[in-house]
Amino acid sequence: MATFNCPKCGAPVEFDVKDRLVRCRYCSSEIFIDKSGAGFYYVLPFAIDETTIIGTFRRWAGGSTKAKDLDKYAHIVSVKKSFFPVYLFKRDVDGSEQVFVEPAASTTLPGLHSLKVPGGDMVVYDKNFDAKGVDMVKPDIDMASYLDKLPGRAKEQALVYFPIYVLDYAFAEKNWRTVISATSGEVFSGDFPRRSSSAYMMVAIVGFLAFLTEGFLAAVDPLLALALIGITVLVVFGASYFVARRM
Amino acid sequence: MSISVGLNCPACGGAIQVADGEQVVNCEYCGSMLYLEGDGGVNTIAFKMKVDRGAARAVSEEWFRKDWKARDLRKEAKVLEIYPIYLPFWSIKMRVIGWICGYDERTYSDSKGHTRTERIPKEEMVLNDYQYSEIACDPGDLGIKRLRNFLGESEFEDFGNIPTYEATTSKDEAMKRIGEEALNDARGEAHVQHVTFERVHVLPRALSMIYYPIWVVRYGYREKMYIYTVDGVSGEIISGRAPGDPLFQSLAITAGTTIGGLIAAGSLYLMAASETMDPTITLIGLAAGAIITFGAYMFFRHGSEIIEGDFTDKKYGLGGLDEMGVVSDLLKGRIDLGGRI
């Protein structure tokens, strides 16, 4: 845990990211942490291991909009871990609190343009934090450059590192890349091989029109219509089962 | 400038005890009443974790069987990881108070085909209390955006070793969103079709931060990794992903096209058979047939993964329609169904 020295007795006081008021364990004075005048460094630790990430990728790849069999045939080329930085600003704008998230590093990674701070158990990033050799992406945009532009009065500003897995995979002779959050398993996808809806749509439209016609026919010849409806049910079921499994 | 400020009683110099969100405290030494100025802070409570690891695992037994999930899920699923977390929620109480005036319209038709529209004037008083919640961080892929209940037993923040998600959204922005929601809900409950006059106020009554205990369970099914979350107070499943089954997908589209097609045929037939029939009934019948088929199609197309909870990628069912804005448009009356449905 991060510490600072008690302004009363000088003893080290431990504090967590969410603390605004802490009590010194030695002299029991209540201490207010004023975060408006300093920049903090926070980090979200890795909460998901690599095996789980690969399983999560396979689940995502099996999704209905992804190319058929992407989950089975996507060949994972590499899985890289890194910490990615964003700035988090809390400002007081005319008496109401507003949160701004701004980029801290330029990136070509897919899906990281929709800026946010992923939920997670944030800790203070200081010398006690062990990154375990994982690459920390260096911020190439200065925090100060935002401070002048943002509206209102500063309440808190921080550089937040969040953990990601960068997954490179090959499918149908092309290379793709996707980024997965290591706190919740959310997939920040860029582009991916897509599946066409046309076979699905075809079954639905042909089925609907067939039943519509047969319903009409029922007014003329109920027995024939009933027989045809029975056959159509079987055909639609067979066709849709094939499409759901294979297309 | 130092970032830490020691707090003392200005009257006697004794150390004062104060919690987040408090505005008035008494000095415990000299009894002075002190008013705290500055960044107000928010009352924070945490709910006690009532559900143990075993129970979080056991709820899957029933859940795996329900709602068109893969038939062999119970046999094939392997729970690989179960861990508790605390998620932060803004909990906001709102009172909506005021008057909404306007009129309802009703259309009658008699046997000769004459229609007559009647206006019923309305004057509704609004006095409602609401309690809402909104997650105070990015939920990522947990599928939780709001609390399902407020029934937890509170304890003062003591998370032990349970990872606690940080609150990263603004309380005032949450308050604003929830204020609009309260206003919409109050309007809905007033049931005035055509509003001519409205004076309604939204009064925030209390804001607090609730840390809510949740179990996150990850399970594997044929090399794929799925997740579900369990309410740490009630023990119910809040959200989750599970594999679907192609059998149910094809059953859905078969039933959907059959019912949809026949309803559409029936309504067309009715129009052809009788000349005095109101054509709008046929239109409604056709639309109903098409909607049923479309709903079935969405499940057929996207039912290979069963999604429950506040996920953004759910594409079938009412949640899926909601994503497309159809349901919310209908509810807000933007799509006019002729005032008959």
Short mmCIF file of all heavy atoms in Angstrom, two decimals, chain B residues 216-256:
data_model
loop_
_atom_site.label_atom_id
_atom_site.label_comp_id
_atom_site.label_asym_id
_atom_site.label_seq_id
_atom_site.Cartn_x
_atom_site.Cartn_y
_atom_site.Cartn_z
N VAL B 216 -17.90 -13.36 -9.14
CA VAL B 216 -17.65 -13.55 -10.56
C VAL B 216 -17.25 -15.00 -10.77
O VAL B 216 -16.33 -15.48 -10.11
CB VAL B 216 -16.53 -12.61 -11.05
CG1 VAL B 216 -16.24 -12.85 -12.52
CG2 VAL B 216 -16.91 -11.17 -10.81
N VAL B 217 -17.97 -15.68 -11.64
CA VAL B 217 -17.67 -17.09 -11.88
C VAL B 217 -17.30 -17.26 -13.35
O VAL B 217 -18.04 -16.83 -14.24
CB VAL B 217 -18.88 -17.98 -11.54
CG1 VAL B 217 -18.53 -19.45 -11.71
CG2 VAL B 217 -19.37 -17.71 -10.13
N ARG B 218 -16.14 -17.83 -13.60
CA ARG B 218 -15.75 -18.12 -14.98
C ARG B 218 -15.80 -19.61 -15.19
O ARG B 218 -15.29 -20.38 -14.37
CB ARG B 218 -14.34 -17.60 -15.26
CG ARG B 218 -14.28 -16.10 -15.27
CD ARG B 218 -12.94 -15.57 -15.70
NE ARG B 218 -12.91 -14.15 -15.45
CZ ARG B 218 -13.41 -13.23 -16.28
NH1 ARG B 218 -13.90 -13.61 -17.45
NH2 ARG B 218 -13.37 -11.96 -15.97
N TYR B 219 -16.42 -20.02 -16.30
CA TYR B 219 -16.48 -21.45 -16.57
C TYR B 219 -16.14 -21.72 -18.03
O TYR B 219 -16.29 -20.86 -18.89
CB TYR B 219 -17.86 -22.01 -16.19
CG TYR B 219 -19.01 -21.52 -17.04
CD1 TYR B 219 -19.47 -22.26 -18.13
CD2 TYR B 219 -19.66 -20.33 -16.74
CE1 TYR B 219 -20.53 -21.82 -18.89
CE2 TYR B 219 -20.72 -19.87 -17.50
CZ TYR B 219 -21.15 -20.62 -18.58
OH TYR B 219 -22.20 -20.19 -19.34
N GLY B 220 -15.64 -22.90 -18.25
CA GLY B 220 -15.24 -23.28 -19.60
C GLY B 220 -16.24 -24.23 -20.20
O GLY B 220 -16.88 -25.02 -19.50
N TYR B 221 -16.43 -24.13 -21.52
CA TYR B 221 -17.29 -25.06 -22.25
C TYR B 221 -16.62 -25.24 -23.60
O TYR B 221 -16.52 -24.29 -24.38
CB TYR B 221 -18.70 -24.47 -22.38
CG TYR B 221 -19.63 -25.23 -23.30
CD1 TYR B 221 -20.29 -26.37 -22.86
CD2 TYR B 221 -19.86 -24.80 -24.61
CE1 TYR B 221 -21.14 -27.07 -23.68
CE2 TYR B 221 -20.71 -25.50 -25.45
CZ TYR B 221 -21.36 -26.62 -24.99
OH TYR B 221 -22.20 -27.31 -25.81
N ARG B 222 -16.11 -26.41 -23.86
CA ARG B 222 -15.43 -26.70 -25.13
C ARG B 222 -14.41 -25.64 -25.52
O ARG B 222 -14.56 -24.97 -26.55
CB ARG B 222 -16.45 -26.84 -26.24
CG ARG B 222 -17.44 -27.92 -25.93
CD ARG B 222 -18.17 -28.33 -27.14
NE ARG B 222 -18.99 -29.48 -26.82
CZ ARG B 222 -20.09 -29.80 -27.49
NH1 ARG B 222 -20.46 -29.08 -28.50
NH2 ARG B 222 -20.77 -30.85 -27.16
N GLU B 223 -13.43 -25.43 -24.68
CA GLU B 223 -12.32 -24.50 -24.94
C GLU B 223 -12.72 -23.04 -24.94
O GLU B 223 -11.91 -22.17 -25.20
CB GLU B 223 -11.64 -24.81 -26.28
CG GLU B 223 -10.93 -26.14 -26.26
CD GLU B 223 -10.15 -26.37 -27.54
OE1 GLU B 223 -9.98 -25.40 -28.31
OE2 GLU B 223 -9.70 -27.49 -27.73
N LYS B 224 -14.03 -22.76 -24.70
CA LYS B 224 -14.43 -21.37 -24.64
C LYS B 224 -14.66 -20.99 -23.19
O LYS B 224 -15.03 -21.83 -22.38
CB LYS B 224 -15.72 -21.15 -25.43
CG LYS B 224 -15.55 -21.37 -26.91
CD LYS B 224 -16.83 -21.09 -27.62
CE LYS B 224 -16.71 -21.52 -29.06
NZ LYS B 224 -18.03 -21.56 -29.69
N MET B 225 -14.44 -19.70 -22.91
CA MET B 225 -14.57 -19.26 -21.53
C MET B 225 -15.76 -18.33 -21.39
O MET B 225 -15.86 -17.35 -22.12
CB MET B 225 -13.29 -18.52 -21.16
CG MET B 225 -13.06 -18.44 -19.70
SD MET B 225 -12.67 -20.03 -19.01
CE MET B 225 -10.93 -20.08 -19.27
N TYR B 226 -16.65 -18.68 -20.50
CA TYR B 226 -17.85 -17.87 -20.27
C TYR B 226 -17.83 -17.34 -18.84
O TYR B 226 -16.99 -17.71 -18.04
CB TYR B 226 -19.11 -18.70 -20.50
CG TYR B 226 -19.30 -19.13 -21.94
CD1 TYR B 226 -18.68 -20.27 -22.44
CD2 TYR B 226 -20.09 -18.38 -22.79
CE1 TYR B 226 -18.84 -20.65 -23.75
CE2 TYR B 226 -20.27 -18.77 -24.11
CZ TYR B 226 -19.65 -19.90 -24.59
OH TYR B 226 -19.82 -20.28 -25.89
N ILE B 227 -18.80 -16.48 -18.55
CA ILE B 227 -18.81 -15.83 -17.25
C ILE B 227 -20.24 -15.73 -16.75
O ILE B 227 -21.18 -15.63 -17.54
CB ILE B 227 -18.20 -14.41 -17.39
CG1 ILE B 227 -18.04 -13.73 -16.03
CG2 ILE B 227 -19.03 -13.52 -18.29
CD1 ILE B 227 -17.43 -12.35 -16.14
N TYR B 228 -20.44 -15.83 -15.46
CA TYR B 228 -21.69 -15.32 -14.89
C TYR B 228 -21.41 -14.65 -13.56
O TYR B 228 -20.37 -14.89 -12.96
CB TYR B 228 -22.77 -16.42 -14.80
CG TYR B 228 -22.55 -17.52 -13.78
CD1 TYR B 228 -22.92 -17.34 -12.45
CD2 TYR B 228 -22.01 -18.74 -14.16
CE1 TYR B 228 -22.74 -18.36 -11.53
CE2 TYR B 228 -21.84 -19.77 -13.24
CZ TYR B 228 -22.20 -19.58 -11.92
OH TYR B 228 -22.03 -20.57 -11.01
N THR B 229 -22.31 -13.76 -13.14
CA THR B 229 -22.10 -13.06 -11.89
C THR B 229 -23.27 -13.33 -10.95
O THR B 229 -24.41 -13.47 -11.39
CB THR B 229 -22.00 -11.54 -12.10
OG1 THR B 229 -23.21 -11.07 -12.68
CG2 THR B 229 -20.84 -11.17 -12.99
N VAL B 230 -22.96 -13.41 -9.68
CA VAL B 230 -23.97 -13.74 -8.67
C VAL B 230 -24.05 -12.60 -7.66
O VAL B 230 -23.03 -12.10 -7.19
CB VAL B 230 -23.60 -15.05 -7.94
CG1 VAL B 230 -24.67 -15.40 -6.90
CG2 VAL B 230 -23.43 -16.18 -8.93
N ASP B 231 -25.27 -12.18 -7.37
CA ASP B 231 -25.56 -11.18 -6.36
C ASP B 231 -25.10 -11.71 -5.00
O ASP B 231 -25.56 -12.76 -4.55
CB ASP B 231 -27.08 -10.96 -6.38
CG ASP B 231 -27.52 -9.82 -5.48
OD1 ASP B 231 -26.98 -9.72 -4.37
OD2 ASP B 231 -28.40 -9.06 -5.90
N GLY B 232 -24.18 -11.00 -4.35
CA GLY B 232 -23.61 -11.48 -3.09
C GLY B 232 -24.55 -11.33 -1.91
O GLY B 232 -24.25 -11.77 -0.81
N VAL B 233 -25.70 -10.67 -2.13
CA VAL B 233 -26.67 -10.52 -1.05
C VAL B 233 -27.80 -11.54 -1.22
O VAL B 233 -28.12 -12.30 -0.31
CB VAL B 233 -27.25 -9.09 -1.00
CG1 VAL B 233 -28.35 -8.99 0.04
CG2 VAL B 233 -26.14 -8.10 -0.71
N SER B 234 -28.38 -11.58 -2.43
CA SER B 234 -29.55 -12.44 -2.62
C SER B 234 -29.19 -13.82 -3.16
O SER B 234 -29.99 -14.73 -3.10
CB SER B 234 -30.54 -11.77 -3.58
OG SER B 234 -30.01 -11.82 -4.89
N GLY B 235 -27.98 -13.96 -3.70
CA GLY B 235 -27.58 -15.26 -4.24
C GLY B 235 -28.13 -15.56 -5.62
O GLY B 235 -27.98 -16.66 -6.12
N GLU B 236 -28.80 -14.56 -6.24
CA GLU B 236 -29.34 -14.79 -7.58
C GLU B 236 -28.32 -14.44 -8.65
O GLU B 236 -27.43 -13.63 -8.42
CB GLU B 236 -30.58 -13.92 -7.79
CG GLU B 236 -31.79 -14.45 -7.07
CD GLU B 236 -32.86 -13.39 -6.88
OE1 GLU B 236 -32.72 -12.30 -7.48
OE2 GLU B 236 -33.80 -13.66 -6.13
N ILE B 237 -28.51 -15.02 -9.83
CA ILE B 237 -27.62 -14.69 -10.94
C ILE B 237 -28.01 -13.34 -11.52
O ILE B 237 -29.19 -13.09 -11.79
CB ILE B 237 -27.66 -15.80 -12.00
CG1 ILE B 237 -26.96 -17.02 -11.39
CG2 ILE B 237 -27.02 -15.34 -13.31
CD1 ILE B 237 -26.51 -18.06 -12.34
N ILE B 238 -27.05 -12.43 -11.65
CA ILE B 238 -27.35 -11.10 -12.16
C ILE B 238 -27.18 -11.05 -13.67
O ILE B 238 -27.99 -10.50 -14.39
CB ILE B 238 -26.41 -10.04 -11.53
CG1 ILE B 238 -26.55 -10.05 -10.01
CG2 ILE B 238 -26.73 -8.66 -12.08
CD1 ILE B 238 -25.61 -9.07 -9.35
N SER B 239 -26.08 -11.60 -14.14
CA SER B 239 -25.80 -11.51 -15.56
C SER B 239 -24.96 -12.71 -15.94
O SER B 239 -24.37 -13.36 -15.08
CB SER B 239 -25.05 -10.22 -15.87
OG SER B 239 -23.78 -10.27 -15.26
N GLY B 240 -24.91 -12.97 -17.23
CA GLY B 240 -24.06 -14.08 -17.64
C GLY B 240 -24.11 -14.32 -19.12
O GLY B 240 -24.97 -13.81 -19.84
N ARG B 241 -23.13 -15.07 -19.57
CA ARG B 241 -23.08 -15.51 -20.95
C ARG B 241 -23.06 -17.04 -20.93
O ARG B 241 -22.45 -17.63 -20.05
CB ARG B 241 -21.81 -15.03 -21.63
CG ARG B 241 -21.71 -13.52 -21.81
CD ARG B 241 -20.37 -13.20 -22.43
NE ARG B 241 -20.17 -11.77 -22.61
CZ ARG B 241 -20.62 -11.08 -23.66
NH1 ARG B 241 -21.29 -11.70 -24.61
NH2 ARG B 241 -20.38 -9.81 -23.76
N ALA B 242 -23.71 -17.64 -21.91
CA ALA B 242 -23.70 -19.09 -21.99
C ALA B 242 -23.85 -19.50 -23.45
O ALA B 242 -24.42 -18.75 -24.25
CB ALA B 242 -24.84 -19.66 -21.16
N PRO B 243 -23.31 -20.67 -23.79
CA PRO B 243 -23.47 -21.12 -25.17
C PRO B 243 -24.93 -21.45 -25.47
O PRO B 243 -25.64 -21.95 -24.61
CB PRO B 243 -22.62 -22.39 -25.22
CG PRO B 243 -22.53 -22.85 -23.80
CD PRO B 243 -22.57 -21.62 -22.96
N GLY B 244 -25.37 -21.14 -26.69
CA GLY B 244 -26.72 -21.49 -27.12
C GLY B 244 -26.71 -22.86 -27.79
O GLY B 244 -25.74 -23.60 -27.70
N ASP B 245 -27.80 -23.17 -28.46
CA ASP B 245 -27.93 -24.49 -29.06
C ASP B 245 -28.60 -24.33 -30.43
O ASP B 245 -29.67 -23.75 -30.52
CB ASP B 245 -28.79 -25.37 -28.14
CG ASP B 245 -28.67 -26.83 -28.49
OD1 ASP B 245 -28.77 -27.16 -29.70
OD2 ASP B 245 -28.47 -27.64 -27.57
N PRO B 246 -27.98 -24.85 -31.50
CA PRO B 246 -28.57 -24.69 -32.83
C PRO B 246 -29.98 -25.27 -32.92
O PRO B 246 -30.81 -24.79 -33.70
CB PRO B 246 -27.60 -25.41 -33.77
CG PRO B 246 -26.61 -26.09 -32.91
CD PRO B 246 -26.67 -25.52 -31.55
N LEU B 247 -30.27 -26.29 -32.10
CA LEU B 247 -31.62 -26.87 -32.13
C LEU B 247 -32.66 -25.81 -31.75
O LEU B 247 -33.68 -25.66 -32.41
CB LEU B 247 -31.70 -28.05 -31.16
CG LEU B 247 -33.09 -28.68 -31.06
CD1 LEU B 247 -33.45 -29.42 -32.34
CD2 LEU B 247 -33.19 -29.60 -29.87
N PHE B 248 -32.37 -25.06 -30.68
CA PHE B 248 -33.33 -24.06 -30.23
C PHE B 248 -33.42 -22.91 -31.23
O PHE B 248 -34.49 -22.33 -31.43
CB PHE B 248 -32.96 -23.54 -28.84
CG PHE B 248 -32.98 -24.62 -27.79
CD1 PHE B 248 -31.96 -24.72 -26.85
CD2 PHE B 248 -34.02 -25.52 -27.75
CE1 PHE B 248 -31.98 -25.72 -25.89
CE2 PHE B 248 -34.05 -26.52 -26.78
CZ PHE B 248 -33.03 -26.63 -25.86
N GLN B 249 -32.28 -22.58 -31.86
CA GLN B 249 -32.30 -21.52 -32.88
C GLN B 249 -33.25 -21.90 -34.01
O GLN B 249 -34.05 -21.10 -34.47
CB GLN B 249 -30.90 -21.28 -33.43
CG GLN B 249 -29.98 -20.53 -32.49
CD GLN B 249 -28.57 -20.55 -33.02
OE1 GLN B 249 -27.78 -21.45 -32.73
NE2 GLN B 249 -28.23 -19.56 -33.81
N SER B 250 -33.14 -23.18 -34.47
CA SER B 250 -33.97 -23.54 -35.62
C SER B 250 -35.42 -23.75 -35.19
O SER B 250 -36.33 -23.45 -35.96
CB SER B 250 -33.40 -24.77 -36.34
OG SER B 250 -33.01 -25.73 -35.42
N LEU B 251 -35.65 -24.22 -33.96
CA LEU B 251 -37.03 -24.31 -33.49
C LEU B 251 -37.67 -22.92 -33.46
O LEU B 251 -38.82 -22.74 -33.82
CB LEU B 251 -37.07 -24.93 -32.09
CG LEU B 251 -36.90 -26.45 -32.02
CD1 LEU B 251 -36.88 -26.91 -30.56
CD2 LEU B 251 -38.02 -27.16 -32.78
N ALA B 252 -36.88 -21.93 -33.02
CA ALA B 252 -37.41 -20.57 -32.92
C ALA B 252 -37.86 -20.05 -34.28
O ALA B 252 -38.97 -19.54 -34.42
CB ALA B 252 -36.35 -19.64 -32.32
N ILE B 253 -37.01 -20.23 -35.30
CA ILE B 253 -37.38 -19.66 -36.60
C ILE B 253 -38.52 -20.47 -37.22
O ILE B 253 -39.39 -19.91 -37.90
CB ILE B 253 -36.15 -19.55 -37.55
CG1 ILE B 253 -36.47 -18.69 -38.76
CG2 ILE B 253 -35.67 -20.91 -38.01
CD1 ILE B 253 -36.74 -17.25 -38.44
N THR B 254 -38.55 -21.78 -36.96
CA THR B 254 -39.66 -22.58 -37.50
C THR B 254 -40.98 -22.11 -36.89
O THR B 254 -41.95 -21.82 -37.60
CB THR B 254 -39.44 -24.08 -37.20
OG1 THR B 254 -38.11 -24.42 -37.59
CG2 THR B 254 -40.42 -24.93 -37.96
N ALA B 255 -41.01 -22.01 -35.55
CA ALA B 255 -42.24 -21.57 -34.89
C ALA B 255 -42.58 -20.14 -35.29
O ALA B 255 -43.74 -19.82 -35.58
CB ALA B 255 -42.06 -21.67 -33.38
N GLY B 256 -41.56 -19.27 -35.37
CA GLY B 256 -41.80 -17.87 -35.69
C GLY B 256 -42.39 -17.67 -37.06
O GLY B 256 -43.36 -16.93 -37.23
#
